[in-house]
C-alpha cells in the first residue's frame, strides 16, 4: 500500500516529512486543481480541508477525478451545527484566519455535480480531539451522543463515484 499526502502549504509538507515519513508514504506540495496528480486512488481521506476551499466545484471535481471506480472519499469537517465548533470557527474567522464554516448543502451539491454519490453522512467526536483520554463512561456516552447532529464536533461523509 502506498500513501500520498498532498497540501498547498510548504510548512505542512515539511512537518509531515519530518514527523511521518515512511518508505510507503510520500508528501507533495500540490494544488490538485491547478496540477492534478497523475494517479488514481482507491481511498482519499480529507480532514478539516473543505472549509478552507473557496471554490468547491473545481476542488471536488479534482478529487473525484483521482478516485478509482468503486473508490471512497472520506471527508471529516467541523460540524458548524455544534455550538462550540460554530463559535470557535467564527472567532478564528474574525481574527483573520482562513477559517470558514463548513456548509453541508453547497458541498453535497458540488459532490453530485462531480458525479459522486454520498454513501453516508454522520456526526462524530463530542469530546474535543485535544483531550487525550476520557474515562470509560464518558467514552460510552460519547458514542451515543455523537449521533445527535448538534452535538457531534465533526460531520463525516463517505462518498464514491456514481
Amino acid at each position: 500500500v502506498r500513501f500520498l499526502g498532498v497540501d498547498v502549504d510548504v510548512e505542512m509538507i515539511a512537518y509531515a516529512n519530518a514527523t511521518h515519513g515512511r518508505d510507503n508514504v510520500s508528501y507533495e506540495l500540490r494544488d490538485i486543481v491547478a496540477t492534478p496528480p497523475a494517479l488514481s486512488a482507491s481511498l482519499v481521506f480529507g480532514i478539516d480541508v473543505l472549509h478552507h476551499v473557496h471554490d468547491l466545484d473545481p476542488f471536488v471535481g479534482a478529487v473525484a477525478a483521482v478516485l478509482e471506480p468503486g473508490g471512497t472519499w472520506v471527508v471529516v469537517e467541523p460540524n458548524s451545527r455544534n455550538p462550540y465548533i460554530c463559535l470557535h470557527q467564527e472567532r478564528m474567522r474574525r481574527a483573520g484566519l482562513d477559517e470558514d464554516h463548513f456548509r453541508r448543502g453547497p458541498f453535497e451539491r458540488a459532490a453530485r455535480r462531480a458525479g459522486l454519490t454520498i454513501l453516508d453522512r454522520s456526526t462524530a467526536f463530542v469530546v474535543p480531539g485535544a483531550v487525550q483520554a476520557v474515562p470509560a463512561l464518558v467514552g460510552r456516552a460519547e458514542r451515543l451522543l455523537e449521533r445527535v447532529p448538534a452535538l457531534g464536533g465533526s460531520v463525516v461523509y463517505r462518498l464514491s463515484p456514481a
Side-chain angles (χ1 to χ4, degrees), residues 50-154:
L50 294 174
H51 67 278
H52 296 285
V53 175
H54 301 286
D55 192 359
L56 282 174
D57 281 305
F59 183 85
V60 172
V63 172
V66 301
L67 274 175
E68 295 174 352
T72 301
W73 182 15
V74 176
V75 172
V76 181
E77 285 295 315
N79 182 11
S80 59
R81 294 181 181 176
N82 176 296
Y84 169 78
I85 297 296
C86 183
L87 290 171
H88 182 66
Q89 284 188 297
E90 186 63 21
R91 190 180 87 236
M92 289 189 294
R93 188 186 67 78
R94 289 181 183 185
L97 301 173
D98 184 26
E99 193 76 21
D100 197 3
H101 300 288
F102 175 71
R103 291 168 180 82
R104 296 173 188 208
F107 169 65
E108 292 178 10
R109 288 188 292 277
R112 284 191 289 276
R113 286 190 294 269
L116 296 170
T117 299
I118 298 168
L119 302 173
D120 54 65
R121 178 185 71 204
S122 60
T123 53
F125 313 119
V126 172
V127 177
V131 176
Q132 296 298 313
V134 296
L137 179 61
V138 173
R140 286 192 299 275
E142 179 181 40
R143 286 188 289 281
L144 295 172
L145 294 173
E146 68 186 6
R147 295 183 179 116
V148 177
L151 296 180
S154 295

Side-chain angles (χ1 to χ4, degrees), residues 21-67:
R22 303 285 184 279
D23 290 340
N24 65 333
V25 179
S26 59
Y27 300 95
E28 291 182 3
L29 182 66
R30 178 185 296 270
D31 176 341
I32 68 166
V33 173
T35 312
L39 57 81
S40 60
S42 59
L43 175 67
V44 174
F45 179 79
I47 183 166
D48 292 348
V49 173
L50 294 174
H51 67 278
H52 296 285
V53 175
H54 301 286
D55 192 359
L56 282 174
D57 281 305
F59 183 85
V60 172
V63 172
V66 301
L67 274 175

